[in-house]
Amino acid sequence: KNHILMLIPKIDEGINLEIIMDSLLILKNKKNKIKFLITGFFSNKNLEKKIKKEVRRRYLKKNILFLGLLKSERKIINLLSNSKIGITSYKVTDRHNYYEYSDSLKIRLYAEFGLPILTEGLTPLSREVVLNKFGFIFKSSKDLSQKIVEIIFKNKFKNLSKNSKIWALKNSREKFVNKLNKQLNNWKFI
């Protein structure tokens, strides 16, 4: 299925849904089979009303599905296993600067399931996506929609997915935890 997954715990002003909706408008005119699946709870009712009103106004209800906060590991695994692309879409705000100091766990999770990744490029890990050829950085809604078409309809999915799995295996959490444990076991404590 041509599902694009945006797995987030909370939908707030730090998530750029505008670029998602704009790209869907472009894609809707060409390929109506694209669907964005977005997890997470809305941080407040006003934001939820505003976003859902905009989705209705743009006639995107068939193309964007808000799934709410998922707590079931089985449901999350099912979503990851049945999606074509994993996406991060953050934006810079006065209240959101965690991407300056943190790693994108979403990128790591998407890669574990072999998903090609589309990212806005705000986290340090987004450079890894491009360098290791398992996804792209997008800069605009037009750019995002073009990259979605490239991945899904122009045969880039297989290669990006393979590279995503390879990168995930090289950078698995278990590998780093085992390495750290080995180092700690070799230290002599006084």
Side-chain angles (χ1 to χ4, degrees), residues 53-85:
K53 181 180 178 183
E54 192 61 24
V55 167
R56 283 190 305 276
R57 187 185 73 76
R58 296 180 187 209
Y59 301 101
L60 294 172
K61 281 182 76 172
K62 289 182 180 179
N63 303 91
I64 200 165
L65 186 61
F66 294 101
L67 303 173
L69 181 63
L70 298 181
K71 293 180 181 178
S72 165
E73 186 177 340
R74 185 180 53 76
K75 286 181 182 178
I76 293 169
I77 288 170
N78 189 40
L79 274 176
L80 287 159
S81 300
N82 290 297
S83 296
K84 280 275 177 123
I85 297 172

PDB file of all heavy atoms in Angstrom, residues 53-85:
ATOM      1  N   LYS A  53     -10.209  20.939  10.271  1.00  0.00           N
ATOM      2  CA  LYS A  53     -10.992  21.835   9.418  1.00  0.00           C
ATOM      3  C   LYS A  53     -10.248  22.093   8.104  1.00  0.00           C
ATOM      4  O   LYS A  53     -10.833  22.080   7.025  1.00  0.00           O
ATOM      5  CB  LYS A  53     -11.254  23.154  10.146  1.00  0.00           C
ATOM      6  CG  LYS A  53     -12.073  24.139   9.361  1.00  0.00           C
ATOM      7  CD  LYS A  53     -12.284  25.422  10.152  1.00  0.00           C
ATOM      8  CE  LYS A  53     -13.068  26.435   9.338  1.00  0.00           C
ATOM      9  NZ  LYS A  53     -13.218  27.699  10.058  1.00  0.00           N
ATOM     10  N   GLU A  54      -8.944  22.280   8.210  1.00  0.00           N
ATOM     11  CA  GLU A  54      -8.121  22.517   7.018  1.00  0.00           C
ATOM     12  C   GLU A  54      -8.082  21.271   6.128  1.00  0.00           C
ATOM     13  O   GLU A  54      -8.130  21.375   4.902  1.00  0.00           O
ATOM     14  CB  GLU A  54      -6.706  22.926   7.443  1.00  0.00           C
ATOM     15  CG  GLU A  54      -5.851  23.464   6.343  1.00  0.00           C
ATOM     16  CD  GLU A  54      -6.389  24.731   5.686  1.00  0.00           C
ATOM     17  OE1 GLU A  54      -7.173  25.487   6.293  1.00  0.00           O
ATOM     18  OE2 GLU A  54      -6.015  24.967   4.521  1.00  0.00           O
ATOM     19  N   VAL A  55      -8.023  20.108   6.724  1.00  0.00           N
ATOM     20  CA  VAL A  55      -8.045  18.852   5.961  1.00  0.00           C
ATOM     21  C   VAL A  55      -9.364  18.749   5.191  1.00  0.00           C
ATOM     22  O   VAL A  55      -9.377  18.397   4.006  1.00  0.00           O
ATOM     23  CB  VAL A  55      -7.839  17.629   6.893  1.00  0.00           C
ATOM     24  CG1 VAL A  55      -8.170  16.321   6.186  1.00  0.00           C
ATOM     25  CG2 VAL A  55      -6.411  17.605   7.422  1.00  0.00           C
ATOM     26  N   ARG A  56     -10.475  19.056   5.851  1.00  0.00           N
ATOM     27  CA  ARG A  56     -11.790  19.014   5.175  1.00  0.00           C
ATOM     28  C   ARG A  56     -11.877  20.070   4.074  1.00  0.00           C
ATOM     29  O   ARG A  56     -12.359  19.790   2.979  1.00  0.00           O
ATOM     30  CB  ARG A  56     -12.919  19.231   6.188  1.00  0.00           C
ATOM     31  CG  ARG A  56     -13.226  18.014   7.037  1.00  0.00           C
ATOM     32  CD  ARG A  56     -14.500  18.180   7.857  1.00  0.00           C
ATOM     33  NE  ARG A  56     -14.510  19.363   8.707  1.00  0.00           N
ATOM     34  CZ  ARG A  56     -13.979  19.439   9.919  1.00  0.00           C
ATOM     35  NH1 ARG A  56     -13.392  18.384  10.445  1.00  0.00           N
ATOM     36  NH2 ARG A  56     -14.038  20.555  10.616  1.00  0.00           N
ATOM     37  N   ARG A  57     -11.395  21.273   4.369  1.00  0.00           N
ATOM     38  CA  ARG A  57     -11.459  22.373   3.394  1.00  0.00           C
ATOM     39  C   ARG A  57     -10.700  22.028   2.110  1.00  0.00           C
ATOM     40  O   ARG A  57     -11.115  22.378   1.013  1.00  0.00           O
ATOM     41  CB  ARG A  57     -10.889  23.653   4.017  1.00  0.00           C
ATOM     42  CG  ARG A  57     -11.065  24.900   3.144  1.00  0.00           C
ATOM     43  CD  ARG A  57     -10.397  26.114   3.738  1.00  0.00           C
ATOM     44  NE  ARG A  57      -8.944  26.087   3.659  1.00  0.00           N
ATOM     45  CZ  ARG A  57      -8.237  26.314   2.558  1.00  0.00           C
ATOM     46  NH1 ARG A  57      -8.837  26.555   1.419  1.00  0.00           N
ATOM     47  NH2 ARG A  57      -6.921  26.277   2.587  1.00  0.00           N
ATOM     48  N   ARG A  58      -9.621  21.297   2.254  1.00  0.00           N
ATOM     49  CA  ARG A  58      -8.801  20.922   1.101  1.00  0.00           C
ATOM     50  C   ARG A  58      -9.218  19.584   0.487  1.00  0.00           C
ATOM     51  O   ARG A  58      -8.547  19.083  -0.409  1.00  0.00           O
ATOM     52  CB  ARG A  58      -7.331  20.845   1.519  1.00  0.00           C
ATOM     53  CG  ARG A  58      -6.760  22.169   1.952  1.00  0.00           C
ATOM     54  CD  ARG A  58      -5.336  21.975   2.339  1.00  0.00           C
ATOM     55  NE  ARG A  58      -4.744  23.153   2.927  1.00  0.00           N
ATOM     56  CZ  ARG A  58      -3.459  23.450   2.842  1.00  0.00           C
ATOM     57  NH1 ARG A  58      -2.634  22.668   2.189  1.00  0.00           N
ATOM     58  NH2 ARG A  58      -2.999  24.526   3.412  1.00  0.00           N
ATOM     59  N   TYR A  59     -10.277  18.990   0.987  1.00  0.00           N
ATOM     60  CA  TYR A  59     -10.776  17.696   0.490  1.00  0.00           C
ATOM     61  C   TYR A  59      -9.707  16.612   0.568  1.00  0.00           C
ATOM     62  O   TYR A  59      -9.471  15.861  -0.366  1.00  0.00           O
ATOM     63  CB  TYR A  59     -11.307  17.824  -0.941  1.00  0.00           C
ATOM     64  CG  TYR A  59     -12.426  18.814  -1.066  1.00  0.00           C
ATOM     65  CD1 TYR A  59     -12.200  20.101  -1.555  1.00  0.00           C
ATOM     66  CD2 TYR A  59     -13.720  18.474  -0.667  1.00  0.00           C
ATOM     67  CE1 TYR A  59     -13.229  21.022  -1.641  1.00  0.00           C
ATOM     68  CE2 TYR A  59     -14.755  19.401  -0.751  1.00  0.00           C
ATOM     69  CZ  TYR A  59     -14.499  20.664  -1.230  1.00  0.00           C
ATOM     70  OH  TYR A  59     -15.513  21.566  -1.304  1.00  0.00           O
ATOM     71  N   LEU A  60      -9.062  16.509   1.729  1.00  0.00           N
ATOM     72  CA  LEU A  60      -7.991  15.540   1.921  1.00  0.00           C
ATOM     73  C   LEU A  60      -8.349  14.427   2.910  1.00  0.00           C
ATOM     74  O   LEU A  60      -7.484  13.663   3.309  1.00  0.00           O
ATOM     75  CB  LEU A  60      -6.719  16.256   2.409  1.00  0.00           C
ATOM     76  CG  LEU A  60      -6.066  17.224   1.433  1.00  0.00           C
ATOM     77  CD1 LEU A  60      -4.939  17.997   2.101  1.00  0.00           C
ATOM     78  CD2 LEU A  60      -5.569  16.499   0.195  1.00  0.00           C
ATOM     79  N   LYS A  61      -9.613  14.339   3.280  1.00  0.00           N
ATOM     80  CA  LYS A  61     -10.008  13.344   4.287  1.00  0.00           C
ATOM     81  C   LYS A  61      -9.682  11.911   3.873  1.00  0.00           C
ATOM     82  O   LYS A  61      -9.415  11.071   4.717  1.00  0.00           O
ATOM     83  CB  LYS A  61     -11.507  13.471   4.611  1.00  0.00           C
ATOM     84  CG  LYS A  61     -11.803  14.615   5.563  1.00  0.00           C
ATOM     85  CD  LYS A  61     -13.259  14.696   5.897  1.00  0.00           C
ATOM     86  CE  LYS A  61     -13.593  13.600   6.879  1.00  0.00           C
ATOM     87  NZ  LYS A  61     -14.933  13.685   7.427  1.00  0.00           N
ATOM     88  N   LYS A  62      -9.697  11.616   2.575  1.00  0.00           N
ATOM     89  CA  LYS A  62      -9.376  10.267   2.099  1.00  0.00           C
ATOM     90  C   LYS A  62      -7.865  10.038   2.050  1.00  0.00           C
ATOM     91  O   LYS A  62      -7.422   8.901   1.926  1.00  0.00           O
ATOM     92  CB  LYS A  62      -9.955  10.035   0.708  1.00  0.00           C
ATOM     93  CG  LYS A  62     -11.458   9.918   0.693  1.00  0.00           C
ATOM     94  CD  LYS A  62     -11.949   9.645  -0.708  1.00  0.00           C
ATOM     95  CE  LYS A  62     -13.466   9.530  -0.725  1.00  0.00           C
ATOM     96  NZ  LYS A  62     -13.972   9.296  -2.077  1.00  0.00           N
ATOM     97  N   ASN A  63      -7.091  11.114   2.116  1.00  0.00           N
ATOM     98  CA  ASN A  63      -5.646  11.011   1.931  1.00  0.00           C
ATOM     99  C   ASN A  63      -4.836  11.205   3.211  1.00  0.00           C
ATOM    100  O   ASN A  63      -3.620  11.022   3.196  1.00  0.00           O
ATOM    101  CB  ASN A  63      -5.170  12.039   0.901  1.00  0.00           C
ATOM    102  CG  ASN A  63      -5.873  11.873  -0.413  1.00  0.00           C
ATOM    103  OD1 ASN A  63      -6.908  12.481  -0.646  1.00  0.00           O
ATOM    104  ND2 ASN A  63      -5.330  11.032  -1.265  1.00  0.00           N
ATOM    105  N   ILE A  64      -5.488  11.620   4.280  1.00  0.00           N
ATOM    106  CA  ILE A  64      -4.773  11.843   5.533  1.00  0.00           C
ATOM    107  C   ILE A  64      -5.600  11.246   6.660  1.00  0.00           C
ATOM    108  O   ILE A  64      -6.775  11.520   6.787  1.00  0.00           O
ATOM    109  CB  ILE A  64      -4.476  13.349   5.733  1.00  0.00           C
ATOM    110  CG1 ILE A  64      -3.353  13.576   6.716  1.00  0.00           C
ATOM    111  CG2 ILE A  64      -5.674  14.123   6.128  1.00  0.00           C
ATOM    112  CD1 ILE A  64      -2.797  15.003   6.663  1.00  0.00           C
ATOM    113  N   LEU A  65      -4.980  10.383   7.423  1.00  0.00           N
ATOM    114  CA  LEU A  65      -5.703   9.674   8.471  1.00  0.00           C
ATOM    115  C   LEU A  65      -4.985   9.876   9.803  1.00  0.00           C
ATOM    116  O   LEU A  65      -3.805   9.550   9.938  1.00  0.00           O
ATOM    117  CB  LEU A  65      -5.767   8.184   8.127  1.00  0.00           C
ATOM    118  CG  LEU A  65      -6.598   7.287   9.006  1.00  0.00           C
ATOM    119  CD1 LEU A  65      -8.067   7.708   9.007  1.00  0.00           C
ATOM    120  CD2 LEU A  65      -6.492   5.849   8.529  1.00  0.00           C
ATOM    121  N   PHE A  66      -5.689  10.453  10.773  1.00  0.00           N
ATOM    122  CA  PHE A  66      -5.152  10.650  12.114  1.00  0.00           C
ATOM    123  C   PHE A  66      -5.538   9.434  12.952  1.00  0.00           C
ATOM    124  O   PHE A  66      -6.720   9.171  13.162  1.00  0.00           O
ATOM    125  CB  PHE A  66      -5.693  11.943  12.723  1.00  0.00           C
ATOM    126  CG  PHE A  66      -5.222  13.170  12.007  1.00  0.00           C
ATOM    127  CD1 PHE A  66      -6.052  13.826  11.110  1.00  0.00           C
ATOM    128  CD2 PHE A  66      -3.942  13.664  12.208  1.00  0.00           C
ATOM    129  CE1 PHE A  66      -5.624  14.952  10.434  1.00  0.00           C
ATOM    130  CE2 PHE A  66      -3.500  14.787  11.534  1.00  0.00           C
ATOM    131  CZ  PHE A  66      -4.339  15.441  10.653  1.00  0.00           C
ATOM    132  N   LEU A  67      -4.549   8.705  13.438  1.00  0.00           N
ATOM    133  CA  LEU A  67      -4.782   7.442  14.127  1.00  0.00           C
ATOM    134  C   LEU A  67      -4.809   7.571  15.646  1.00  0.00           C
ATOM    135  O   LEU A  67      -5.108   6.598  16.332  1.00  0.00           O
ATOM    136  CB  LEU A  67      -3.709   6.431  13.722  1.00  0.00           C
ATOM    137  CG  LEU A  67      -3.598   6.156  12.232  1.00  0.00           C
ATOM    138  CD1 LEU A  67      -2.392   5.284  11.934  1.00  0.00           C
ATOM    139  CD2 LEU A  67      -4.869   5.512  11.717  1.00  0.00           C
ATOM    140  N   GLY A  68      -4.464   8.745  16.164  1.00  0.00           N
ATOM    141  CA  GLY A  68      -4.398   8.915  17.612  1.00  0.00           C
ATOM    142  C   GLY A  68      -3.111   8.329  18.164  1.00  0.00           C
ATOM    143  O   GLY A  68      -2.262   7.829  17.438  1.00  0.00           O
ATOM    144  N   LEU A  69      -2.976   8.396  19.476  1.00  0.00           N
ATOM    145  CA  LEU A  69      -1.790   7.855  20.136  1.00  0.00           C
ATOM    146  C   LEU A  69      -1.901   6.335  20.196  1.00  0.00           C
ATOM    147  O   LEU A  69      -2.870   5.802  20.712  1.00  0.00           O
ATOM    148  CB  LEU A  69      -1.671   8.425  21.558  1.00  0.00           C
ATOM    149  CG  LEU A  69      -0.458   7.963  22.347  1.00  0.00           C
ATOM    150  CD1 LEU A  69       0.832   8.429  21.678  1.00  0.00           C
ATOM    151  CD2 LEU A  69      -0.529   8.480  23.773  1.00  0.00           C
ATOM    152  N   LEU A  70      -0.902   5.671  19.648  1.00  0.00           N
ATOM    153  CA  LEU A  70      -0.899   4.204  19.647  1.00  0.00           C
ATOM    154  C   LEU A  70      -0.017   3.693  20.774  1.00  0.00           C
ATOM    155  O   LEU A  70       1.154   4.045  20.863  1.00  0.00           O
ATOM    156  CB  LEU A  70      -0.388   3.665  18.315  1.00  0.00           C
ATOM    157  CG  LEU A  70      -1.199   4.024  17.084  1.00  0.00           C
ATOM    158  CD1 LEU A  70      -0.574   3.402  15.848  1.00  0.00           C
ATOM    159  CD2 LEU A  70      -2.639   3.593  17.219  1.00  0.00           C
ATOM    160  N   LYS A  71      -0.597   2.870  21.618  1.00  0.00           N
ATOM    161  CA  LYS A  71       0.160   2.304  22.732  1.00  0.00           C
ATOM    162  C   LYS A  71       0.479   0.835  22.495  1.00  0.00           C
ATOM    163  O   LYS A  71       1.347   0.287  23.138  1.00  0.00           O
ATOM    164  CB  LYS A  71      -0.627   2.470  24.033  1.00  0.00           C
ATOM    165  CG  LYS A  71      -0.769   3.918  24.432  1.00  0.00           C
ATOM    166  CD  LYS A  71      -1.540   4.063  25.715  1.00  0.00           C
ATOM    167  CE  LYS A  71      -1.684   5.536  26.068  1.00  0.00           C
ATOM    168  NZ  LYS A  71      -2.475   5.724  27.286  1.00  0.00           N
ATOM    169  N   SER A  72      -0.202   0.223  21.564  1.00  0.00           N
ATOM    170  CA  SER A  72      -0.003  -1.188  21.273  1.00  0.00           C
ATOM    171  C   SER A  72       1.204  -1.375  20.353  1.00  0.00           C
ATOM    172  O   SER A  72       1.233  -0.870  19.233  1.00  0.00           O
ATOM    173  CB  SER A  72      -1.254  -1.769  20.603  1.00  0.00           C
ATOM    174  OG  SER A  72      -0.970  -3.005  20.007  1.00  0.00           O
ATOM    175  N   GLU A  73       2.186  -2.131  20.848  1.00  0.00           N
ATOM    176  CA  GLU A  73       3.375  -2.400  20.044  1.00  0.00           C
ATOM    177  C   GLU A  73       3.000  -3.152  18.767  1.00  0.00           C
ATOM    178  O   GLU A  73       3.562  -2.907  17.701  1.00  0.00           O
ATOM    179  CB  GLU A  73       4.374  -3.208  20.868  1.00  0.00           C
ATOM    180  CG  GLU A  73       5.696  -3.409  20.177  1.00  0.00           C
ATOM    181  CD  GLU A  73       6.706  -4.146  21.037  1.00  0.00           C
ATOM    182  OE1 GLU A  73       6.549  -4.191  22.275  1.00  0.00           O
ATOM    183  OE2 GLU A  73       7.658  -4.686  20.452  1.00  0.00           O
ATOM    184  N   ARG A  74       2.040  -4.045  18.865  1.00  0.00           N
ATOM    185  CA  ARG A  74       1.589  -4.820  17.705  1.00  0.00           C
ATOM    186  C   ARG A  74       1.035  -3.902  16.613  1.00  0.00           C
ATOM    187  O   ARG A  74       1.324  -4.075  15.433  1.00  0.00           O
ATOM    188  CB  ARG A  74       0.531  -5.837  18.143  1.00  0.00           C
ATOM    189  CG  ARG A  74       0.085  -6.782  17.045  1.00  0.00           C
ATOM    190  CD  ARG A  74      -0.967  -7.767  17.517  1.00  0.00           C
ATOM    191  NE  ARG A  74      -2.130  -7.182  18.156  1.00  0.00           N
ATOM    192  CZ  ARG A  74      -3.142  -6.564  17.508  1.00  0.00           C
ATOM    193  NH1 ARG A  74      -3.120  -6.450  16.209  1.00  0.00           N
ATOM    194  NH2 ARG A  74      -4.172  -6.074  18.172  1.00  0.00           N
ATOM    195  N   LYS A  75       0.231  -2.897  17.002  1.00  0.00           N
ATOM    196  CA  LYS A  75      -0.339  -1.962  16.030  1.00  0.00           C
ATOM    197  C   LYS A  75       0.750  -1.113  15.372  1.00  0.00           C
ATOM    198  O   LYS A  75       0.711  -0.851  14.172  1.00  0.00           O
ATOM    199  CB  LYS A  75      -1.370  -1.050  16.696  1.00  0.00           C
ATOM    200  CG  LYS A  75      -2.666  -1.744  17.009  1.00  0.00           C
ATOM    201  CD  LYS A  75      -3.657  -0.791  17.648  1.00  0.00           C
ATOM    202  CE  LYS A  75      -4.943  -1.526  18.010  1.00  0.00           C
ATOM    203  NZ  LYS A  75      -5.910  -0.650  18.679  1.00  0.00           N
ATOM    204  N   ILE A  76       1.725  -0.696  16.166  1.00  0.00           N
ATOM    205  CA  ILE A  76       2.828   0.106  15.629  1.00  0.00           C
ATOM    206  C   ILE A  76       3.640  -0.723  14.638  1.00  0.00           C
ATOM    207  O   ILE A  76       3.964  -0.263  13.543  1.00  0.00           O
ATOM    208  CB  ILE A  76       3.710   0.654  16.770  1.00  0.00           C
ATOM    209  CG1 ILE A  76       2.905   1.670  17.601  1.00  0.00           C
ATOM    210  CG2 ILE A  76       4.977   1.295  16.214  1.00  0.00           C
ATOM    211  CD1 ILE A  76       3.564   2.076  18.898  1.00  0.00           C
ATOM    212  N   ILE A  77       3.940  -1.953  15.009  1.00  0.00           N
ATOM    213  CA  ILE A  77       4.694  -2.842  14.115  1.00  0.00           C
ATOM    214  C   ILE A  77       3.909  -3.090  12.830  1.00  0.00           C
ATOM    215  O   ILE A  77       4.480  -3.087  11.738  1.00  0.00           O
ATOM    216  CB  ILE A  77       5.053  -4.163  14.831  1.00  0.00           C
ATOM    217  CG1 ILE A  77       6.130  -3.892  15.877  1.00  0.00           C
ATOM    218  CG2 ILE A  77       5.498  -5.235  13.851  1.00  0.00           C
ATOM    219  CD1 ILE A  77       6.413  -5.049  16.811  1.00  0.00           C
ATOM    220  N   ASN A  78       2.616  -3.270  12.938  1.00  0.00           N
ATOM    221  CA  ASN A  78       1.766  -3.472  11.768  1.00  0.00           C
ATOM    222  C   ASN A  78       1.816  -2.245  10.841  1.00  0.00           C
ATOM    223  O   ASN A  78       1.923  -2.391   9.620  1.00  0.00           O
ATOM    224  CB  ASN A  78       0.324  -3.768  12.209  1.00  0.00           C
ATOM    225  CG  ASN A  78      -0.544  -4.191  11.055  1.00  0.00           C
ATOM    226  OD1 ASN A  78      -0.124  -4.942  10.189  1.00  0.00           O
ATOM    227  ND2 ASN A  78      -1.770  -3.697  11.036  1.00  0.00           N
ATOM    228  N   LEU A  79       1.737  -1.065  11.417  1.00  0.00           N
ATOM    229  CA  LEU A  79       1.827   0.165  10.609  1.00  0.00           C
ATOM    230  C   LEU A  79       3.176   0.265   9.906  1.00  0.00           C
ATOM    231  O   LEU A  79       3.247   0.569   8.709  1.00  0.00           O
ATOM    232  CB  LEU A  79       1.641   1.399  11.496  1.00  0.00           C
ATOM    233  CG  LEU A  79       0.250   1.873  11.761  1.00  0.00           C
ATOM    234  CD1 LEU A  79       0.268   3.049  12.730  1.00  0.00           C
ATOM    235  CD2 LEU A  79      -0.451   2.280  10.481  1.00  0.00           C
ATOM    236  N   LEU A  80       4.239   0.030  10.652  1.00  0.00           N
ATOM    237  CA  LEU A  80       5.583   0.111  10.071  1.00  0.00           C
ATOM    238  C   LEU A  80       5.770  -0.923   8.963  1.00  0.00           C
ATOM    239  O   LEU A  80       6.383  -0.640   7.932  1.00  0.00           O
ATOM    240  CB  LEU A  80       6.637  -0.094  11.165  1.00  0.00           C
ATOM    241  CG  LEU A  80       6.819   1.083  12.123  1.00  0.00           C
ATOM    242  CD1 LEU A  80       7.468   0.632  13.419  1.00  0.00           C
ATOM    243  CD2 LEU A  80       7.627   2.185  11.463  1.00  0.00           C
ATOM    244  N   SER A  81       5.229  -2.104   9.160  1.00  0.00           N
ATOM    245  CA  SER A  81       5.376  -3.189   8.185  1.00  0.00           C
ATOM    246  C   SER A  81       4.550  -2.956   6.923  1.00  0.00           C
ATOM    247  O   SER A  81       4.859  -3.523   5.876  1.00  0.00           O
ATOM    248  CB  SER A  81       4.955  -4.519   8.811  1.00  0.00           C
ATOM    249  OG  SER A  81       5.753  -4.807   9.923  1.00  0.00           O
ATOM    250  N   ASN A  82       3.509  -2.150   7.018  1.00  0.00           N
ATOM    251  CA  ASN A  82       2.623  -1.941   5.876  1.00  0.00           C
ATOM    252  C   ASN A  82       2.699  -0.537   5.292  1.00  0.00           C
ATOM    253  O   ASN A  82       1.768  -0.088   4.633  1.00  0.00           O
ATOM    254  CB  ASN A  82       1.174  -2.261   6.281  1.00  0.00           C
ATOM    255  CG  ASN A  82       0.988  -3.740   6.506  1.00  0.00           C
ATOM    256  OD1 ASN A  82       1.146  -4.536   5.604  1.00  0.00           O
ATOM    257  ND2 ASN A  82       0.685  -4.117   7.732  1.00  0.00           N
ATOM    258  N   SER A  83       3.808   0.137   5.523  1.00  0.00           N
ATOM    259  CA  SER A  83       3.994   1.484   4.967  1.00  0.00           C
ATOM    260  C   SER A  83       5.124   1.472   3.960  1.00  0.00           C
ATOM    261  O   SER A  83       5.987   0.598   3.987  1.00  0.00           O
ATOM    262  CB  SER A  83       4.297   2.479   6.092  1.00  0.00           C
ATOM    263  OG  SER A  83       3.193   2.588   6.962  1.00  0.00           O
ATOM    264  N   LYS A  84       5.121   2.448   3.078  1.00  0.00           N
ATOM    265  CA  LYS A  84       6.159   2.556   2.040  1.00  0.00           C
ATOM    266  C   LYS A  84       7.247   3.550   2.410  1.00  0.00           C
ATOM    267  O   LYS A  84       8.376   3.423   1.946  1.00  0.00           O
ATOM    268  CB  LYS A  84       5.530   3.025   0.721  1.00  0.00           C
ATOM    269  CG  LYS A  84       4.851   1.946  -0.067  1.00  0.00           C
ATOM    270  CD  LYS A  84       5.851   1.213  -0.915  1.00  0.00           C
ATOM    271  CE  LYS A  84       5.206   0.101  -1.630  1.00  0.00           C
ATOM    272  NZ  LYS A  84       5.212  -0.057  -2.945  1.00  0.00           N
ATOM    273  N   ILE A  85       6.896   4.575   3.202  1.00  0.00           N
ATOM    274  CA  ILE A  85       7.837   5.651   3.513  1.00  0.00           C
ATOM    275  C   ILE A  85       7.605   6.069   4.962  1.00  0.00           C
ATOM    276  O   ILE A  85       6.471   6.129   5.420  1.00  0.00           O
ATOM    277  CB  ILE A  85       7.613   6.872   2.591  1.00  0.00           C
ATOM    278  CG1 ILE A  85       7.877   6.515   1.134  1.00  0.00           C
ATOM    279  CG2 ILE A  85       8.483   8.056   3.011  1.00  0.00           C
ATOM    280  CD1 ILE A  85       7.485   7.604   0.141  1.00  0.00           C
TER     281      ILE A  85
END
